Amino acid sequence: MDTVSQQRISKLHPSVRKEVEKIIEECNTVLTGRAKVRITQGLRTDAEQTALYNQGRITSGKKVSNAKAGQSIHNYGLAVDICLIIDGKAASWDTAKDWDNDKIADWYECVKIFARYGWDWGGSWKTFKDLPHFEKKGSNWRTLIKKKKDNDGYVII
């Protein structure tokens, strides 16, 4: 697993860190070709979430989020976004490419692994498809926003 992913995992909610490590390691084992998984986003601050929400609304660019601060599972460290790193250099979000030539798109190999561990995929959402996004099943911002936080700032679950 690359250092960027390790750093992002270290900031996730403590209850999912080990599990995400296992998921990424399993994905990287299954992907026997040129692609490996990188976490591009994990825990996101309220300020970062506000900036994303404002994009395409108040600031220029395409809308990338329908979630305000506190409404994203990223704000609780219970979600990750991924990409595939090809040959250790180039980032890819190509969900159809089969870099290891095993007749299964590498992205979907990872989707299956996340699902086995009980993670929902943003690509399955009916309205706003978010292909790079995975979140711990059962995470609900309406519930999480009401929970108390520990000394490190993570919700107590």
Side-chain angles (χ1 to χ4, degrees), residues 128-139:
F128 187 82
K129 301 271 185 199
D130 190 355
L131 301 178
H133 182 87
F134 297 87
E135 62 185 47
K136 188 65 180 167
K137 195 178 287 275
S139 300

Side-chain angles (χ1 to χ4, degrees), residues 15-71:
S15 69
V16 298
R17 288 179 193 159
K18 292 263 187 250
E19 184 172 271
V20 173
E21 283 177 5
K22 284 167 128 180
I23 291 168
I24 301 305
E25 287 171 6
E26 197 171 319
C27 288
N28 286 336
T29 299
V30 168
L31 302 178
T32 58
R34 299 168 47 206
K36 296 297 174 200
V37 175
R38 171 171 288 168
I39 295 176
T40 59
Q41 182 75 74
L43 179 67
R44 190 180 295 146
T45 66
D46 285 352
E48 290 168 326
Q49 189 64 43
T50 298
L52 283 176
Y53 181 79
N54 288 343
Q55 187 175 321
R57 292 178 176 86
I58 296 171
T59 61
S60 64
K62 180 184 171 193
K63 284 184 185 177
V64 292
S65 179
N66 286 330
K68 295 179 179 178
Q71 295 178 345

Side-chain angles (χ1 to χ4, degrees), residues 55-115:
Q55 187 175 321
R57 292 178 176 86
I58 296 171
T59 61
S60 64
K62 180 184 171 193
K63 284 184 185 177
V64 292
S65 179
N66 286 330
K68 295 179 179 178
Q71 295 178 345
S72 170
I73 302 305
H74 283 288
N75 298 141
Y76 305 96
L78 296 167
V80 295
D81 293 345
I82 67 165
C83 74
L84 298 176
I85 298 294
I86 313 307
D87 296 327
K89 299 177 223 162
S92 171
W93 288 268
D94 186 336
T95 60
K97 186 72 175 158
D98 179 17
W99 296 98
D100 56 7
N101 297 313
D102 64 357
K103 310 271 190 267
I104 304 166
D106 290 359
W107 198 273
Y108 290 96
E109 291 184 73
C110 295
V111 168
K112 288 178 188 176
I113 292 167
F114 271 94

